């Protein structure tokens, strides 16, 4: 439940707090439905109960994430357990409508109800309790994680991430990389048990395992979805291969070919990101035409002394320029913008749609960087989606599919062109030259193209774990096999099954499915292409900003308002005219850079 609330995942059964007593919701579980209850009446009751229950779950989750203690673990686990009990009871009751001829809305609501948890729990009460506690603890362990060096100097994750982003000292990078991964081995046994329990829960809901259940959330069969994701990856893989080749060569120049062998995978700690997932922080090494065009938003944020709130205001203004509403007053008083000094919190950014989307919040530990500004735009994309679908019934309060939720804010960041940044005073001026275009494309590609194989493999690892193809004694090996195969990276120090490197990535202990981000990275370019047409943009896609376009904003918002009330193919068609996800937009977008990369890579032997 919590994951819907927080990250507004595929089925954002929005949370809101109200007066539903514990009694009401639990009683519902054991009630045999009155034979007179029609399917439509059942759905209406499910919506009403969900609305009430979500209030409690949302409050417990928020407090847990912004105040990690043993006490909040008990509160959050209890709320999660209560939701799980309600959910499995309702799914059982819904079985009576199987095979009945129902109207589309009712059928869809019942189907969505069945998928309405990312953490399916066994019906057995003791196991349900055990799973709720394990899931709560795993995320808490991640949130409270830190690494203390030999001098007993400790760093938390944001601090270690700073080292990875900014240091160019091989050994210092190795220590930060390895140090953060010390948080994960204690998760290993708990994770193994979590896998057993969620699989039992998924099987009680009629799925082979949790991976199959996750793949079932895309308005097509799990097998079709797996194929679809594979098709999209094949479409974009050539872009990644060119980027990898060039980045490896440049890193070889900086660190030496002994450290970065030119025919093998890249050491994972040299790419500017703790998980090697987005590489924008090594732009200084990769800048094609040094000094051409000022893209240094970081220094503007510092010299103009932007506060976290001002950074959020800047993002809000973009959405408002599209004709979308201002964020509610409570957003400003209830959000967590900065890391509290006196307690452990989950710093990983998230957006919350509490009280049925009336109580919008973000939870971040904002730093004064351009990267963080873009994360704020990303999170507000979630909030605007949550606000837009708040008038849908609770079972339809979610995104068309989980990738849509992740793509909204990212689509908006594609409009943060040099011209836009200059217009709002975040860079001095927008240079127009061909060299400036390539520089900016490089900066974008280091994040957007580098991310693609990472976005794809995280769930592939989990699909393997849930299906049993990757056994517990091979968790780490399976992880690194995939990291190397997909991303062409390797760990900088030897790893073994005493490690549990997947646990050092938020979405694994937090149980958030990840294919959504892979899909979002493709969809956002597709959305942008259509929005730019609507906005009347002329010229290449990369130079388009929809800032200030009410026409584009209206069409965008209309898609958001429909939530998950219809299959995603319908939502996509309304905005883009096509019913298929398609990578040609991202390929077109980066066409200029591909020309540059191919030239640079001439004579090199690429691949690993
Ligand atoms: O988790 C996130 C967002 C919250 S939904 C900050 N992202 C993924 C990640 O950090 O791993 C955004 C991009 C990928
Ligand atoms: Zn997100």
């Amino acid at each position: 439940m919590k994951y819907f609330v927080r990250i507004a995942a595929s089925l954002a059964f929005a949370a809101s707090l109200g007066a539903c007593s514990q009694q009401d919701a639990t009683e519902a579980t054991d009630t045999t439905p009155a034979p007179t209850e029609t399917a439509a009446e059942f759905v209406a009751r499910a919506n009403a109960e969900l609305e009430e229950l979500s209030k409690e779950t949302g409050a417990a989750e928020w407090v847990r994430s912004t105040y990690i203690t043993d006490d909040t673990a008990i509160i959050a686990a209890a709320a999660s357990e209560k939701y799980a009990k309600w959910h499995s009871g309702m799914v059982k009751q819904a079985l009576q409508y199987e095979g009945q001829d129902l109207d589309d809305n009712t059928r869809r609501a019942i189907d969505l109800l069945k998928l309405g948890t990312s953490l399916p729990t066994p019906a057995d009460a003791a196991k349900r309790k055990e799973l709720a506690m394990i899931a709560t603890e795993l995320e808490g362990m991640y949130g409270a994680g830190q690494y203390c060096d030999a001098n007993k100097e400790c760093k938390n994750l944001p601090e270690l991430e700073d080292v990875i982003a900014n240091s160019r000292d091989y050994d210092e990078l190795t220590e930060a990389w390895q140090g953060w991964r010390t948080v994960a081995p204690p998760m290993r046994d708990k994770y193994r048990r979590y896998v057993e329990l969620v699989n039992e829960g998924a099987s009680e809901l009629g799925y082979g395992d949790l991976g199959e259940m996750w793949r079932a959330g895309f308005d097509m069969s799990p097998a079709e979805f797996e194929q679809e994701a594979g098709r999209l990856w094949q479409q974009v893989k050539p872009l990644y291969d060119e980027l990898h080749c060039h980045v490896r060569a440049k890193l070889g120049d900086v660190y030496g070919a002994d450290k970065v062998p030119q025919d093998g995978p890249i050491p994972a700690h040299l790419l500017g990101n703790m998980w090697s997932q987005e590489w924008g922080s090594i732009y200084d090494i990769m800048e094609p035409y040094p000094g051409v065009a000022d893209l240094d938003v970081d220094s503007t944020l510092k010299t103009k002394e932007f506060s976290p709130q001002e950074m959020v205001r800047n993002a809000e203004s973009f959405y408002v320029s599209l004709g979308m509403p201002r964020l509610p007053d409570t957003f400003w008083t209830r959000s967590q913008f900065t890391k509290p000094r006196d307690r452990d919190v989950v710093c990983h950014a998230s957006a919350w749609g509490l009280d049925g989307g009336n109580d919008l919040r973000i939870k971040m530990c904002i730093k004064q960087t351009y990267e963080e500004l873009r994360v704020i735009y990303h999170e507000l994309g979630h909030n605007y989606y949550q606000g837009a679908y708040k008038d849908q019934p609770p079972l339809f309060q979610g995104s068309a599919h989980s990738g849509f939720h992740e793509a909204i804010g990212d689509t908006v960041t594609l409009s943060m062109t040099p011209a836009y940044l200059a217009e709002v005073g975040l860079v001095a001026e927008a240079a127009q030259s061909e060299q400036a275009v390539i520089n900016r494309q490089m900066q974008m590609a280091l994040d957007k193209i580098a991310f693609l194989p990472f976005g794809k493999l995280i769930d592939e690892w989990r699909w393997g774990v849930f299906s049993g193809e990757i056994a517990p004694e091979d968790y780490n090996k399976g992880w690194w096999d995939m990291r190397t195969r997909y991303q062409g990276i390797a760990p900088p120090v030897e790893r073994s099954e005493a490690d549990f490197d997947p646990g050092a990535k938020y979405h694994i202990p937090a149980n958030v499915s990840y294919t959504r981000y892979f899909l979002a990275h493709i969809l956002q370019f597709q959305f942008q292409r259509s929005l730019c047409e609507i906005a009347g943009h002329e010229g290449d896609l990369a130079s388009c900003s929809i800032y200030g376009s009410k026409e584009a904003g209206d069409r965008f918002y209309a898609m958001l308002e429909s939530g998950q009330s219809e299959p995603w193919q319908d939502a996509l068609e309304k905005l883009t005219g096509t019913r298929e996800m398609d990578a040609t937009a991202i390929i077109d977008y980066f066409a200029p850079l591909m020309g540059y990369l191919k030239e640079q890579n001439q004579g090199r032997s690429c691949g690993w």
Side-chain angles (χ1 to χ4, degrees):
M1 178 58 193
K2 54 188 182 178
Y3 311 106
F4 305 148
V5 178
R6 183 150 28 103
I7 310 207
S10 52
L11 298 142
F13 295 168
S16 46
L17 189 72
C20 169
S21 71
Q22 187 137 337
Q23 209 57 10
D24 295 342
T26 41
E27 269 171 8
T29 315
D30 305 322
T31 311
T32 314
T36 49
E37 193 175 38
T38 65
E41 284 162 355
F42 170 78
V43 167
R45 181 166 62 86
N47 273 321
E49 289 178 3
L50 182 57
E51 191 177 334
E52 284 307 309
L53 194 49
S54 301
K55 295 173 185 176
E56 200 173 326
T57 321
E61 270 308 306
W62 176 266
V63 172
R64 167 67 178 165
S65 296
T66 56
Y67 202 145
I68 302 176
T69 65
D70 292 344
D71 299 318
T72 57
I74 292 170
I75 293 168
S80 152
E81 196 187 328
K82 183 170 163 184
Y83 175 79
K85 187 174 182 192
W86 174 83
H87 181 255
S88 55
M90 292 303 275
V91 171
K92 265 190 214 114
Q93 293 173 36
L95 286 176
Q96 65 181 313
Y97 306 109
E98 232 149 69
Q100 282 190 14
D101 192 16
L102 305 177
D103 67 86
D104 286 354
N105 267 355
T106 307
R107 168 60 54 212
R108 186 167 176 80
I110 289 178
D111 289 348
L112 287 171
L113 174 68
K114 193 172 160 194
L115 285 164
T117 181
S118 58
L119 189 74
T121 53
D124 178 88
K127 288 181 178 169
R128 185 161 55 214
K129 195 178 178 75
E130 184 187 359
L131 177 56
M133 202 47 166
I134 290 179
T136 303
E137 281 173 355
L138 280 171
E139 190 181 359
M141 289 164 81
Y142 185 96
Q146 57 171 353
Y147 164 66
C148 302
D149 66 15
N151 303 322
K152 299 220 160 52
E153 272 180 35
C154 300
K155 286 196 171 76
N156 57 33
L157 177 58
E159 290 162 345
L160 292 165
E161 285 186 86
D162 278 348
V163 175
I164 298 279
N166 300 316
S167 170
R168 299 292 174 254
D169 179 302
Y170 192 93
D171 294 335
E172 192 184 7
L173 287 166
T174 307
E175 188 180 357
W177 189 94
Q178 201 172 356
W180 172 243
R181 281 159 180 77
T182 59
V183 306
M187 297 177 189
R188 196 182 169 110
D189 273 348
K190 288 185 196 293
Y191 195 79
R192 187 192 44 73
R193 180 66 178 148
Y194 145 94
V195 171
E196 283 170 7
L197 293 171
V198 286
N199 274 343
E200 206 174 312
S203 127
E204 286 177 22
L205 291 174
Y207 300 97
D209 59 60
L210 181 57
E212 187 185 297
M213 182 171 166
W214 282 359
R215 294 192 297 279
F218 292 88
D219 295 307
M220 55 176 76
S221 75
E224 281 167 340
F225 177 69
E226 193 170 347
Q227 255 201 336
E228 184 63 358
R231 175 183 71 80
L232 294 168
W233 166 238
Q234 287 308 322
Q235 260 190 301
V236 295
K237 187 174 180 302
L239 276 61
Y240 183 75
D241 290 344
E242 293 293 342
L243 183 69
H244 180 280
C245 192
H246 185 49
V247 167
R248 182 173 65 188
K250 296 290 260 188
L251 288 175
D253 293 345
V254 173
Y255 294 100
D258 56 326
K259 295 271 196 307
V260 188
Q262 291 299 299
D263 55 359
I266 301 172
H269 62 322
L270 305 181
L271 292 157
N273 176 277
M274 184 58 87
W275 306 274
S276 330
Q277 66 181 65
E278 284 136 355
W279 306 345
S281 295
I282 57 161
Y283 178 72
D284 57 322
I285 295 174
M286 298 305 305
E287 190 172 26
Y289 301 103
V292 175
D294 167 24
L295 297 172
D296 193 358
V297 177
D298 281 26
S299 67
T300 315
L301 293 173
K302 290 194 172 63
T303 50
K304 292 197 176 171
E305 294 179 2
F306 266 73
S307 67
Q309 277 82 353
E310 285 166 331
M311 291 168 72
V312 181
R313 279 281 179 213
N314 169 279
E316 182 198 34
S317 302
F318 195 113
Y319 290 87
V320 170
S321 89
L322 299 176
M324 298 188 193
R326 287 213 161 275
L327 291 162
D329 289 345
T330 50
F331 171 89
W332 300 98
T333 52
R334 296 179 186 174
S335 289
Q336 176 197 292
F337 295 128
T338 45
K339 187 173 188 330
R341 271 173 300 184
D342 59 346
R343 59 182 199 263
D344 289 323
V345 300
V346 178
C347 273
H348 191 89
S350 54
W352 300 56
L354 302 164
D355 189 19
N358 291 302
D359 179 355
L360 303 173
R361 307 179 195 176
I362 58 170
K363 178 185 61 58
M364 287 185 68
C365 301
I366 297 175
K367 297 187 225 174
Q368 215 178 33
T369 65
Y370 183 33
E371 188 182 337
E372 288 277 283
L373 183 65
R374 282 173 293 158
V375 175
I376 297 169
Y377 276 65
H378 172 96
E379 296 307 331
L380 292 198
H382 289 308
N383 280 153
Y384 276 98
Y385 214 157
Q386 290 155 343
Y389 58 59
K390 74 180 167 60
D391 295 329
Q392 294 285 348
L395 284 166
F396 288 163
Q397 290 181 5
S399 50
H401 72 48
S402 51
F404 280 58
H405 231 306
E406 298 305 333
I408 306 310
D410 278 15
T411 303
V412 171
T413 67
L414 295 181
S415 284
M416 298 170 89
T417 54
Y420 164 74
L421 294 174
E423 189 176 340
V424 299
L426 286 171
V427 297
E429 53 167 354
Q432 301 286 345
S433 69
E434 240 172 75
Q435 293 190 343
V437 168
I438 296 296
N439 274 358
R440 171 170 144 80
Q441 288 235 314
M442 177 62 80
Q443 194 186 44
M444 301 280 298
L446 287 170
D447 286 332
K448 301 291 181 186
I449 294 180
F451 182 80
L452 293 163
F454 183 82
K456 178 79 175 70
L457 76 85
I458 300 296
D459 279 354
E460 218 161 296
W461 179 79
R462 272 188 293 201
W463 293 347
V465 165
F466 293 138
S467 75
E469 218 167 288
I470 301 174
E473 52 277 16
D474 290 328
Y475 277 169
N476 222 44
K477 180 183 177 306
W479 175 258
W480 280 106
D481 284 352
M482 271 186 203
R483 296 269 266 165
T484 303
R485 181 156 56 82
Y486 269 102
Q487 288 185 279
I489 62 168
V493 286
E494 207 173 319
R495 309 309 281 165
S496 76
E497 295 305 325
D499 301 304
F500 183 52
D501 294 327
K505 174 64 197 164
Y506 172 74
H507 302 70
I508 306 284
N511 186 46
V512 181
S513 61
Y514 210 84
T515 311
R516 64 186 66 191
Y517 302 105
F518 171 69
L519 301 177
H521 274 66
I522 290 173
L523 275 175
Q524 61 192 259
F525 290 90
Q526 218 176 330
F527 291 165
Q528 179 71 348
R529 182 161 63 185
S530 298
L531 291 169
C532 289
E533 267 168 38
I534 297 163
H537 173 76
E538 279 166 20
D540 59 304
L541 186 54
S543 68
C544 167
S545 176
I546 63 164
Y547 182 60
S549 170
K550 303 276 185 288
E551 293 80 7
D554 282 352
R555 284 281 293 280
F556 210 12
Y557 207 68
M559 181 174 86
L560 306 189
E561 280 174 326
S562 57
Q564 57 185 0
S565 63
E566 56 189 8
W568 64 262
Q569 292 88 342
D570 292 353
L572 183 65
E573 188 171 21
K574 277 186 202 149
L575 182 66
T576 68
T578 152
R579 302 180 62 79
E580 285 222 328
M581 292 184 278
D582 168 35
T584 57
I586 184 173
I587 294 169
D588 287 354
Y589 186 100
F590 285 111
L593 183 73
M594 281 305 124
Y596 169 83
L597 288 177
K598 285 202 172 112
E599 238 173 71
Q600 296 292 313
N601 288 333
Q602 253 177 30
R604 289 178 182 152
S605 98
C606 297
W608 55 88

